[in-house]
Amino acid sequence: MNAWSNIKAIMKRELGGYFTSPIAYVFLVIFLLLTGFFTFTVGNFFERGEASLVSFFTWHPWLYLFLVPAVGMRLWSEERRLGTLELLLTLPITAWQAIVGKFLASWLFLALALALTFPVVITVNWLGQPDNGVIMAGYVGSLLLAGAYLAISCMTSAMTRNQVISFILSVMICLFLILAGYTPVTDLLTRFANPVVTQTIASFSVMTHFEAFQRGVLDTRDVVFFASVIGFALFATGVIIRNQRAG
Amino acid sequence: MIKVENLTKAFGAKLAVNDLSFSVERGEVLGFLGPNGAGKSTTMRMVTGFIPPTSGNISVGGHDVLEDPIGAKRLMGYLPENAPGYADMTVRGFLNFVAELRGMRGDERKRAVNHAVELCFLENVLYQTIDTLSKGYKHRTCLAQSLIHDPAVLILDEPTDGLDPNQKHEVRNLIKRMGENKAIVFSTHILEEVEAVCSRVIIIDRGSIVANGTPAELKARSELAGAVHVRAHGMPAATLSERLAQVPGAARVEILGDVDGRVEVRVYADKSAGATLTRSVAEAAAREGWQLDEIHTEEGRLDEVFRTITLPDTIKAAA
């Protein structure tokens, strides 16, 4: 249980770091404004005339594309810039505990942001009779999606002490994960690649896997997909940090 | 407590640390000296387990730093170079965080934090965030962090850097006091600090140990060590120095000043002759009736030893 208490201590510090600086509040306000804007204005929530949150969840992959790397970019690059990495890794904890602690703290923060969107759920329930199971599945999918992006941001953050570079790199990687399964792109691909190739590429995309959640389907394969993206990116983070220390 | 054997670190083709071996016991304060880039910080980073060595063994309190890093890190307190700290945390929050990762809870943690705060004089800034602290306070905050679990081994990378003279004095006393029952390694550029605090000194140059001994032993290697400083009046400097050069045990004489008939000379000792030069000079003065105002034996100077040992060969050859 020692490992867990170390992870908890790191989570606590990391979360505290969000809330003692304006980052947390700026992020929460912008996140809520944007989800509202996309759901009601761009997504035509009212004009659709259906009691569902499709117009809410559809935009999440795009919204997270910029917002999640903004949360994750400082995780490791800040430690390297301040020199606190040396302090952290000479304390009696393993690099894994630090990586997991930091990741969980940021994920928890994103979960909080997502939880604060509860008024849309109330709204849709007040206006009609939506399938709340589908909405729940949508939230689970959205949280996993955010976790996958976040893990990638962790990884790019460990690569550099420059937060801007870290941000741009993770946006690029996440954008690739979206586009690989984005309908206009897959349509383009089918024109000159055979369907098997197109499908293989699309199966790497977060879009393909996120769609099932939006339809209310909790498929193990989709959960495994997101979990393995998270696992892989965090593992890569560990390798990057170890290589940097080896010099 | 600390045992380092054949430690080597290469960054690419460059050898930062080359086959370093030393050990530090409880009750010892080891001073690490060396020019910038000599490999002091790299060595400390390896001992604390931050970077792995290219080859060699390090053990701290019987724990191998590579095999059992957590066990070794538990015993160590470490103040990294430039005293990093989380900018957005308060001093108290930061110390609490470190204490928690050191496995302390509740009352035990509170006591440990308070004690560290007291030792490092941080009472006035407890609730300030670290980015608002002056350099001296920032440094002491990081020092407090390294002491919080009362470690058996302390590794301090330039602990007095950026402190004012009073704070330097306090920190030196603290190190000296703690050195009585801990094994301490600290690096510095300030030579007087070494004399004031260390029980042993290692000088590193270009990754290798070039000198290892007590401050007194090192000072004895100085050309100045054992030299006799003489002030006299009533005779020309040239005559005095000529006579002094004939005193047994004198290697050469340097005229330091000759103002209004007051002469000041230094007689360098012939190291092989033993430590009797001062007596010989005094006897010669009595015999020949020189009017001496002052006579004393000089101790060696560490900065001189440091310079002769660590100057690059090219400069040495030219000099």
Side-chain angles (χ1 to χ4, degrees), chain A residues 191-209:
Chain A
R191 272 190 228 161
F192 48 85
N194 76 51
V196 182
V197 176
T198 316
Q199 255 179 16
T200 315
I201 294 177
S203 68
F204 279 104
S205 168
V206 290
M207 292 303 245
T208 326
H209 297 277

PDB file of all heavy atoms in Angstrom, chain A residues 191-209:
ATOM      1  N   ARG A 191     -10.796   5.369 -51.873  1.00  0.00           N
ATOM      2  CA  ARG A 191     -10.655   5.566 -53.313  1.00  0.00           C
ATOM      3  C   ARG A 191      -9.393   4.919 -53.855  1.00  0.00           C
ATOM      4  O   ARG A 191      -9.357   4.458 -54.976  1.00  0.00           O
ATOM      5  CB  ARG A 191     -10.634   7.066 -53.654  1.00  0.00           C
ATOM      6  CG  ARG A 191     -12.030   7.585 -53.872  1.00  0.00           C
ATOM      7  CD  ARG A 191     -11.982   8.974 -54.441  1.00  0.00           C
ATOM      8  NE  ARG A 191     -12.894   9.848 -53.709  1.00  0.00           N
ATOM      9  CZ  ARG A 191     -12.840  11.156 -53.706  1.00  0.00           C
ATOM     10  NH1 ARG A 191     -11.882  11.764 -54.367  1.00  0.00           N
ATOM     11  NH2 ARG A 191     -13.713  11.870 -53.047  1.00  0.00           N
ATOM     12  N   PHE A 192      -8.308   4.929 -53.084  1.00  0.00           N
ATOM     13  CA  PHE A 192      -7.082   4.340 -53.649  1.00  0.00           C
ATOM     14  C   PHE A 192      -6.412   3.301 -52.759  1.00  0.00           C
ATOM     15  O   PHE A 192      -5.319   2.859 -53.028  1.00  0.00           O
ATOM     16  CB  PHE A 192      -6.072   5.423 -54.085  1.00  0.00           C
ATOM     17  CG  PHE A 192      -5.839   6.495 -53.062  1.00  0.00           C
ATOM     18  CD1 PHE A 192      -4.911   6.309 -52.053  1.00  0.00           C
ATOM     19  CD2 PHE A 192      -6.560   7.684 -53.120  1.00  0.00           C
ATOM     20  CE1 PHE A 192      -4.703   7.298 -51.129  1.00  0.00           C
ATOM     21  CE2 PHE A 192      -6.341   8.671 -52.202  1.00  0.00           C
ATOM     22  CZ  PHE A 192      -5.414   8.487 -51.197  1.00  0.00           C
ATOM     23  N   ALA A 193      -7.060   2.919 -51.662  1.00  0.00           N
ATOM     24  CA  ALA A 193      -6.488   1.814 -50.884  1.00  0.00           C
ATOM     25  C   ALA A 193      -7.568   0.749 -50.759  1.00  0.00           C
ATOM     26  O   ALA A 193      -8.760   1.063 -50.849  1.00  0.00           O
ATOM     27  CB  ALA A 193      -6.073   2.301 -49.509  1.00  0.00           C
ATOM     28  N   ASN A 194      -7.154  -0.506 -50.566  1.00  0.00           N
ATOM     29  CA  ASN A 194      -8.199  -1.513 -50.442  1.00  0.00           C
ATOM     30  C   ASN A 194      -8.845  -1.430 -49.051  1.00  0.00           C
ATOM     31  O   ASN A 194      -8.260  -0.909 -48.107  1.00  0.00           O
ATOM     32  CB  ASN A 194      -7.676  -2.908 -50.814  1.00  0.00           C
ATOM     33  CG  ASN A 194      -6.800  -3.508 -49.718  1.00  0.00           C
ATOM     34  OD1 ASN A 194      -7.197  -3.549 -48.553  1.00  0.00           O
ATOM     35  ND2 ASN A 194      -5.626  -3.962 -50.096  1.00  0.00           N
ATOM     36  N   PRO A 195     -10.060  -1.897 -48.953  1.00  0.00           N
ATOM     37  CA  PRO A 195     -10.864  -1.700 -47.734  1.00  0.00           C
ATOM     38  C   PRO A 195     -10.185  -2.217 -46.462  1.00  0.00           C
ATOM     39  O   PRO A 195     -10.396  -1.655 -45.381  1.00  0.00           O
ATOM     40  CB  PRO A 195     -12.138  -2.495 -48.006  1.00  0.00           C
ATOM     41  CG  PRO A 195     -12.176  -2.713 -49.458  1.00  0.00           C
ATOM     42  CD  PRO A 195     -10.800  -2.630 -49.982  1.00  0.00           C
ATOM     43  N   VAL A 196      -9.394  -3.284 -46.601  1.00  0.00           N
ATOM     44  CA  VAL A 196      -8.751  -3.840 -45.396  1.00  0.00           C
ATOM     45  C   VAL A 196      -7.787  -2.815 -44.792  1.00  0.00           C
ATOM     46  O   VAL A 196      -7.780  -2.571 -43.582  1.00  0.00           O
ATOM     47  CB  VAL A 196      -7.992  -5.142 -45.743  1.00  0.00           C
ATOM     48  CG1 VAL A 196      -7.360  -5.733 -44.478  1.00  0.00           C
ATOM     49  CG2 VAL A 196      -8.923  -6.141 -46.406  1.00  0.00           C
ATOM     50  N   VAL A 197      -7.005  -2.195 -45.667  1.00  0.00           N
ATOM     51  CA  VAL A 197      -6.048  -1.180 -45.209  1.00  0.00           C
ATOM     52  C   VAL A 197      -6.797  -0.020 -44.559  1.00  0.00           C
ATOM     53  O   VAL A 197      -6.469   0.427 -43.455  1.00  0.00           O
ATOM     54  CB  VAL A 197      -5.190  -0.678 -46.387  1.00  0.00           C
ATOM     55  CG1 VAL A 197      -4.257   0.451 -45.919  1.00  0.00           C
ATOM     56  CG2 VAL A 197      -4.375  -1.814 -46.976  1.00  0.00           C
ATOM     57  N   THR A 198      -7.816   0.445 -45.257  1.00  0.00           N
ATOM     58  CA  THR A 198      -8.599   1.565 -44.738  1.00  0.00           C
ATOM     59  C   THR A 198      -9.154   1.246 -43.363  1.00  0.00           C
ATOM     60  O   THR A 198      -9.106   2.055 -42.434  1.00  0.00           O
ATOM     61  CB  THR A 198      -9.766   1.883 -45.682  1.00  0.00           C
ATOM     62  OG1 THR A 198      -9.290   1.857 -47.017  1.00  0.00           O
ATOM     63  CG2 THR A 198     -10.364   3.228 -45.363  1.00  0.00           C
ATOM     64  N   GLN A 199      -9.663   0.018 -43.242  1.00  0.00           N
ATOM     65  CA  GLN A 199     -10.268  -0.364 -41.960  1.00  0.00           C
ATOM     66  C   GLN A 199      -9.234  -0.475 -40.850  1.00  0.00           C
ATOM     67  O   GLN A 199      -9.487  -0.100 -39.712  1.00  0.00           O
ATOM     68  CB  GLN A 199     -10.976  -1.705 -42.125  1.00  0.00           C
ATOM     69  CG  GLN A 199     -12.476  -1.515 -42.183  1.00  0.00           C
ATOM     70  CD  GLN A 199     -13.192  -2.824 -42.372  1.00  0.00           C
ATOM     71  OE1 GLN A 199     -12.634  -3.899 -42.170  1.00  0.00           O
ATOM     72  NE2 GLN A 199     -14.452  -2.740 -42.780  1.00  0.00           N
ATOM     73  N   THR A 200      -8.060  -0.999 -41.231  1.00  0.00           N
ATOM     74  CA  THR A 200      -7.001  -1.125 -40.227  1.00  0.00           C
ATOM     75  C   THR A 200      -6.607   0.252 -39.708  1.00  0.00           C
ATOM     76  O   THR A 200      -6.478   0.467 -38.502  1.00  0.00           O
ATOM     77  CB  THR A 200      -5.754  -1.810 -40.842  1.00  0.00           C
ATOM     78  OG1 THR A 200      -6.196  -2.920 -41.593  1.00  0.00           O
ATOM     79  CG2 THR A 200      -4.796  -2.247 -39.760  1.00  0.00           C
ATOM     80  N   ILE A 201      -6.441   1.180 -40.669  1.00  0.00           N
ATOM     81  CA  ILE A 201      -6.076   2.535 -40.253  1.00  0.00           C
ATOM     82  C   ILE A 201      -7.179   3.137 -39.388  1.00  0.00           C
ATOM     83  O   ILE A 201      -6.919   3.708 -38.330  1.00  0.00           O
ATOM     84  CB  ILE A 201      -5.799   3.424 -41.485  1.00  0.00           C
ATOM     85  CG1 ILE A 201      -4.563   2.911 -42.216  1.00  0.00           C
ATOM     86  CG2 ILE A 201      -5.585   4.874 -41.057  1.00  0.00           C
ATOM     87  CD1 ILE A 201      -4.246   3.655 -43.480  1.00  0.00           C
ATOM     88  N   ALA A 202      -8.413   2.946 -39.831  1.00  0.00           N
ATOM     89  CA  ALA A 202      -9.538   3.528 -39.094  1.00  0.00           C
ATOM     90  C   ALA A 202      -9.651   2.932 -37.694  1.00  0.00           C
ATOM     91  O   ALA A 202     -10.094   3.606 -36.761  1.00  0.00           O
ATOM     92  CB  ALA A 202     -10.827   3.317 -39.863  1.00  0.00           C
ATOM     93  N   SER A 203      -9.230   1.684 -37.529  1.00  0.00           N
ATOM     94  CA  SER A 203      -9.380   1.055 -36.222  1.00  0.00           C
ATOM     95  C   SER A 203      -8.422   1.661 -35.206  1.00  0.00           C
ATOM     96  O   SER A 203      -8.558   1.447 -34.014  1.00  0.00           O
ATOM     97  CB  SER A 203      -9.162  -0.452 -36.331  1.00  0.00           C
ATOM     98  OG  SER A 203      -7.823  -0.714 -36.635  1.00  0.00           O
ATOM     99  N   PHE A 204      -7.443   2.422 -35.688  1.00  0.00           N
ATOM    100  CA  PHE A 204      -6.557   3.121 -34.770  1.00  0.00           C
ATOM    101  C   PHE A 204      -7.136   4.445 -34.311  1.00  0.00           C
ATOM    102  O   PHE A 204      -6.569   5.131 -33.479  1.00  0.00           O
ATOM    103  CB  PHE A 204      -5.196   3.390 -35.430  1.00  0.00           C
ATOM    104  CG  PHE A 204      -4.295   2.201 -35.403  1.00  0.00           C
ATOM    105  CD1 PHE A 204      -4.090   1.448 -36.539  1.00  0.00           C
ATOM    106  CD2 PHE A 204      -3.675   1.812 -34.224  1.00  0.00           C
ATOM    107  CE1 PHE A 204      -3.273   0.342 -36.512  1.00  0.00           C
ATOM    108  CE2 PHE A 204      -2.853   0.706 -34.190  1.00  0.00           C
ATOM    109  CZ  PHE A 204      -2.656  -0.043 -35.341  1.00  0.00           C
ATOM    110  N   SER A 205      -8.264   4.792 -34.912  1.00  0.00           N
ATOM    111  CA  SER A 205      -8.787   6.119 -34.636  1.00  0.00           C
ATOM    112  C   SER A 205      -9.667   6.133 -33.394  1.00  0.00           C
ATOM    113  O   SER A 205     -10.413   5.191 -33.121  1.00  0.00           O
ATOM    114  CB  SER A 205      -9.589   6.603 -35.826  1.00  0.00           C
ATOM    115  OG  SER A 205     -10.308   7.748 -35.468  1.00  0.00           O
ATOM    116  N   VAL A 206      -9.603   7.225 -32.666  1.00  0.00           N
ATOM    117  CA  VAL A 206     -10.468   7.357 -31.506  1.00  0.00           C
ATOM    118  C   VAL A 206     -11.923   7.545 -31.940  1.00  0.00           C
ATOM    119  O   VAL A 206     -12.847   7.197 -31.209  1.00  0.00           O
ATOM    120  CB  VAL A 206     -10.044   8.555 -30.628  1.00  0.00           C
ATOM    121  CG1 VAL A 206      -8.730   8.273 -29.950  1.00  0.00           C
ATOM    122  CG2 VAL A 206      -9.973   9.833 -31.425  1.00  0.00           C
ATOM    123  N   MET A 207     -12.138   8.075 -33.154  1.00  0.00           N
ATOM    124  CA  MET A 207     -13.500   8.331 -33.632  1.00  0.00           C
ATOM    125  C   MET A 207     -14.289   7.032 -33.711  1.00  0.00           C
ATOM    126  O   MET A 207     -15.392   6.917 -33.205  1.00  0.00           O
ATOM    127  CB  MET A 207     -13.460   8.981 -35.015  1.00  0.00           C
ATOM    128  CG  MET A 207     -12.913  10.373 -35.006  1.00  0.00           C
ATOM    129  SD  MET A 207     -13.827  11.442 -33.910  1.00  0.00           S
ATOM    130  CE  MET A 207     -14.506  12.588 -35.089  1.00  0.00           C
ATOM    131  N   THR A 208     -13.681   6.039 -34.357  1.00  0.00           N
ATOM    132  CA  THR A 208     -14.335   4.750 -34.537  1.00  0.00           C
ATOM    133  C   THR A 208     -14.803   4.195 -33.194  1.00  0.00           C
ATOM    134  O   THR A 208     -15.906   3.683 -33.061  1.00  0.00           O
ATOM    135  CB  THR A 208     -13.333   3.747 -35.156  1.00  0.00           C
ATOM    136  OG1 THR A 208     -12.484   4.457 -36.039  1.00  0.00           O
ATOM    137  CG2 THR A 208     -14.051   2.624 -35.837  1.00  0.00           C
ATOM    138  N   HIS A 209     -13.918   4.306 -32.200  1.00  0.00           N
ATOM    139  CA  HIS A 209     -14.224   3.698 -30.916  1.00  0.00           C
ATOM    140  C   HIS A 209     -15.142   4.570 -30.067  1.00  0.00           C
ATOM    141  O   HIS A 209     -15.889   4.068 -29.239  1.00  0.00           O
ATOM    142  CB  HIS A 209     -12.921   3.392 -30.166  1.00  0.00           C
ATOM    143  CG  HIS A 209     -12.066   2.408 -30.887  1.00  0.00           C
ATOM    144  ND1 HIS A 209     -12.263   1.053 -30.786  1.00  0.00           N
ATOM    145  CD2 HIS A 209     -11.053   2.579 -31.760  1.00  0.00           C
ATOM    146  CE1 HIS A 209     -11.386   0.431 -31.548  1.00  0.00           C
ATOM    147  NE2 HIS A 209     -10.642   1.339 -32.161  1.00  0.00           N
TER     148      HIS A 209
END
